[in-house]
């Protein structure tokens, strides 16, 4: 499965880099993501930072229930932290 994903990504990269610009061939549709943008250091750095921030934010959705299951002895269905109950 990972080799298929790598092959598909490499195939898309070749397709996107071979595609002519829309100015030279207006009848052809351009690739969905223009990989030539990554040649600009500012764009490449901002995408890398956004990826790292997204990973650090959303990894908690995976790690926190595992922590509650292992350290607090909770079951599979009660592994996520429950919100505080309203006091009456």
């Amino acid at each position: 499965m990972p080799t298929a994903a790598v092959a598909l990504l490499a195939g898309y990269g070749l397709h996107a880099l071979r595609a002519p610009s829309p100015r030279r061939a207006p009848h052809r549709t351009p690739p969905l993501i223009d990989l030539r943008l990554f040649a600009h250091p500012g764009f490449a750095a901002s995408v890398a930072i956004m990826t790292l921030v997204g990973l650090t934010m959303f990894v908690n959705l995976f790690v926190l229930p595992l922590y509650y299951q292992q350290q607090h002895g909770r079951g599979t269905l009660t592994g996520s932290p429950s919100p505080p109950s309203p006091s009456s």
Side-chain angles (χ1 to χ4, degrees), residues 24-85:
R24 284 189 254 154
H27 60 282
R28 292 187 63 186
T29 58
L32 186 61
I33 299 172
D34 189 11
L35 297 180
R36 294 179 191 103
L37 289 173
F38 288 98
H40 302 288
F43 180 80
S46 67
V47 169
I49 290 171
M50 284 189 329
T51 301
L52 290 175
V53 167
L55 283 173
T56 56
M57 281 177 41
F58 293 114
V59 76
N60 290 328
L61 295 174
F62 179 72
V63 172
L64 199 57
L66 293 178
Y67 167 75
Y68 272 92
Q69 284 178 7
Q70 291 179 356
Q71 297 298 320
H72 294 281
R74 295 206 180 175
T76 306
L77 295 176
T78 60
S80 62
S82 56
S85 59

